Amino acid sequence: MENAVELHNVTKSFKGFQLKDISFTVKKGFVTGFIGANGAGKSSTIKLIMNLLKKDSGTLTVFGKDHEKDELWIKERIGFVYDDSVFYEEMTIRDLKKFIAPAYQNWDESKFQKYLDAFELPEKKRISSMSKGMKMKTSLMFALSHHAELIIMDEPTSGLDPVFRRELLDLLFEIMQDQEKSIFFSTHITTDLDRIADYLIFIHNGRIIFNEDVHSVFSTYGVVKGDADVLTKEVKSELTGIKETKFGFEALTSNADAVRSIIGREALIEKPTLEDIMYFTKRGEAHV
Ligand SMILES: Nc1ncnc2c1ncn2[C@@H]1O[C@H](COP(=O)(O)OP(=O)(O)OP(=O)(O)O)[C@@H](O)[C@H]1O
């Protein structure tokens, strides 16, 4: 399978935080959700891909090309949907187009007009007086108007109301009907992913915990519940984030089959939500 993005052992250190040996792939033709708690390293990783931040080491390619050497070729093919700070706030959509359209060989004026109408965006209103949802639509409209093959979005749904979030997800679903396109988006609103993600990448404290298809994640992970007396050393070695209460314990396993074979009769092993996975992983780390 062809990859839209590949990272191999990428590292980046800040004072007090490190992206550690980041390796993952974003598959061409699919939607990949990039999940992680606040401060896990999602935005920094996206900035590395976009070459807005320099990596310390490792290799990073987009469509098989080096993200630094071939930056211009790559940027032509990426639609980057970021928060409002990328726009000059005092400009209008009309002003912005004068800068953005000539920068792309593949600029498609009819697509631009189509999204301008469909998103009901005011061409002459200043960006600074737009709502967060309108700014997000504006950013997406520009990304879609130059035939981007890869759409990268940093937290596109945060701060949006549920109706617009759903409309945005519907739109992304529609875009994906063109099987040549790929979408990579970060979020901490895990319910968004249930609707559209094919693959999931989970980053925690600067490390990649998994990079799997959605089906595998839900079949390998499990939330285990039972009486504390089944917590032998062997069982504990398969669990993370164990939470004991007066009724028993709850924990996450990344190997539901193994736990099932040891304590399948005594304990309950449920399909986790992404929130469960994030919660117990964080808890597990805090209790090491
Ligand atoms: N330019 C920088 N200089 C120093 N530290 C930074 C810089 N950029 C990010 N960090 C730190 O790196 C860590 C990860 O931040 P990042 O924005 O990548 O996380 P995130 O997963 O996107 O979080 P959120 O969901 O809150 O946006 C944070 O502790 C942040 O303070």
Side-chain angles (χ1 to χ4, degrees), residues 14-15 17 36-45 53 154-155 188:
F14 299 120
K15 201 163 175 265
F17 182 81
N38 287 128
K42 301 181 297 297
S43 296
S44 311
T45 305
L53 199 62
D154 195 7
E155 301 272 359
H188 51 245

Side-chain angles (χ1 to χ4, degrees), residues 33-250:
F34 190 32
I35 58 168
N38 287 128
K42 301 181 297 297
S43 296
S44 311
T45 305
I46 288 180
K47 284 183 192 151
L48 287 174
I49 298 172
M50 294 304 298
N51 207 17
L52 295 170
L53 199 62
K54 294 273 171 234
K55 63 185 187 300
D56 296 335
S57 60
T59 56
L60 203 168
T61 56
V62 182
F63 300 120
K65 300 207 179 218
D66 184 90
H67 78 133
E68 290 175 3
K69 275 205 300 242
D70 297 299
E71 182 175 1
L72 287 179
W73 185 91
I74 289 168
K75 293 265 169 85
E76 182 75 30
R77 288 158 182 84
I78 294 184
F80 185 34
V81 180
Y82 195 55
D83 64 25
D84 28 357
S85 59
V86 286
F87 292 131
Y88 297 102
E89 292 272 308
E90 291 316 304
M91 288 194 176
T92 63
I93 289 179
R94 184 170 282 184
D95 300 332
L96 279 169
K97 195 179 76 169
K98 286 187 197 138
F99 282 96
I100 296 175
Y104 291 101
Q105 284 174 16
N106 278 336
W107 180 261
D108 185 332
E109 185 61 27
S110 65
K111 268 235 149 69
F112 175 82
Q113 292 299 333
K114 184 188 129 190
Y115 284 114
L116 192 66
D117 285 350
F119 291 173
E120 297 172 343
L121 286 166
E123 233 181 327
K124 294 181 199 156
K125 195 175 172 128
R126 285 186 183 180
I127 303 292
S128 57
S129 58
M130 288 184 177
S131 69
K132 197 167 164 70
M134 284 162 95
K135 287 179 188 174
M136 184 51 71
K137 282 182 183 171
T138 301
S139 179
L140 193 60
M141 171 180 67
F142 280 110
L144 294 173
S145 299
H146 64 91
H147 292 275
E149 292 162 48
L150 168 64
I151 296 174
I152 296 184
M153 299 185 289
D154 195 7
E155 301 272 359
T157 54
S158 77
L160 301 181
D161 70 62
V163 174
F164 182 59
R165 258 178 48 216
R166 190 144 181 186
E167 282 171 5
L168 177 71
L169 295 172
D170 287 347
L171 176 77
L172 297 181
F173 188 78
E174 207 181 294
I175 294 167
M176 290 310 293
Q177 301 315 302
D178 172 353
Q179 293 181 349
E180 288 301 302
K181 298 226 188 291
S182 316
I183 296 179
F184 178 61
F185 80 106
S186 70
T187 183
H188 51 245
I189 306 173
T190 52
T191 47
D192 287 347
L193 297 163
D194 298 345
R195 291 184 206 282
I196 57 163
D198 302 296
Y199 288 89
L200 292 172
I201 299 172
F202 176 27
I203 186 168
H204 179 68
N205 203 8
R207 282 182 198 282
I208 300 297
I209 307 286
F210 60 70
N211 174 191
E212 305 257 9
D213 69 273
V214 174
H215 176 73
S216 308
V217 171
F218 290 117
S219 58
T220 56
Y221 278 80
V223 172
V224 188
K225 294 177 182 172
D227 282 339
D229 55 12
V230 302
L231 287 174
T232 59
K233 208 170 163 196
E234 185 193 13
V235 173
K236 278 187 175 171
S237 72
E238 299 289 353
L239 302 177
T240 188
I242 300 172
K243 185 173 152 190
E244 288 194 51
T245 66
K246 57 184 173 182
F247 306 110
F249 77 93
E250 266 183 32

